[in-house]
């Protein structure tokens, strides 16, 4: 991941905790100024691992660590690029149909929201496979 992505994740995590003022010195060992530096991609500052753990524990969401795991290099079994993108298109069409059904009554309840998030997780996994298929040296079409 590049510095912009790290800064974005730091900002998202800090905001999920209620902001730098809320967590500085209490939920983590860093002061407010240092937290803001970690949100600036040009500063060269990154959130230390222990601070990521503290902030994720504070807000209850693995915002930063989940993104790091999702961007880790890993060998995945992938189909050809055309097959992977076709599968991805079908998943997106299914999500569109699900969203239309969920919104038909004017509200999206917890069960519908959970279904949407489950499909999004599958789409995110498929997106990783599409990237792997496109990036593979000598990738088959």
């Amino acid at each position: 991941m590049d510095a912009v992505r790290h800064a974005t994740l730091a900002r998202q995590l800090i905001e999920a905790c209620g902001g730098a003022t809320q967590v500085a010195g209490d939920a983590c060992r860093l002061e407010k100024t240092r937290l803001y530096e970690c949100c600036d991609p040009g500063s060269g500052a990154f959130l230390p691992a222990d601070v990521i753990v503290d902030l994720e524990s504070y807000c209850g969401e693995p915002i930063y660590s989940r993104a790091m795991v999702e961007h880790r290099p890993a060998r995945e079994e992938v189909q050809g690029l055309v097959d992977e993108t076709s599968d991805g298109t079908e998943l997106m069409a299914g999500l569109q149909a699900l969203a239309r059904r969920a919104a038909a009554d004017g509200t999206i309840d917890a069960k519908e929201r959970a279904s949407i998030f489950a499909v999004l997780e599958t789409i995110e996994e498929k997106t990783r496979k599409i990237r792997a298929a496109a990036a593979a040296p000598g990738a088959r079409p």
Side-chain angles (χ1 to χ4, degrees), residues 3-140:
V4 172
R5 182 69 175 135
H6 280 285
T8 300
L9 289 169
R11 186 170 25 308
Q12 289 171 345
L13 179 55
I14 292 165
E15 287 174 2
C17 292
T21 302
Q22 175 79 26
V23 296
D26 290 332
C28 73
R29 65 182 172 84
L30 298 183
E31 295 301 320
K32 185 171 60 172
T33 304
R34 181 80 166 113
L35 289 170
Y36 284 128
E37 285 176 3
C38 295
C39 297
D40 176 7
S43 73
F46 296 92
L47 284 178
D50 66 305
V51 173
I52 293 170
V53 170
D54 290 343
L55 294 178
E56 288 182 342
S57 295
Y58 185 84
C59 75
E61 290 292 325
I63 294 167
Y64 204 114
S65 59
R66 181 186 309 129
M68 289 174 60
V69 168
E70 289 174 354
H71 287 89
R72 76 190 183 287
R75 300 187 103 199
E76 293 188 57
E77 290 297 320
V78 295
Q79 305 173 51
L81 181 60
V82 172
D83 289 338
E84 293 291 358
T85 56
S86 295
D87 291 349
T89 300
E90 291 169 9
L91 285 167
M92 288 300 294
L95 176 62
Q96 181 182 20
L98 178 61
R100 285 185 187 275
R101 284 192 306 273
D105 63 359
T107 62
I108 299 174
D109 64 32
K111 185 177 177 182
E112 292 165 331
R113 186 172 287 108
S115 295
I116 289 168
F117 284 127
V119 173
L120 285 169
E121 289 287 328
T122 304
I123 289 169
E124 289 169 357
E125 176 64 27
K126 181 54 66 178
T127 300
R128 285 189 291 279
K129 288 185 174 188
I130 292 168
R131 280 193 187 103
R140 61 183 189 131

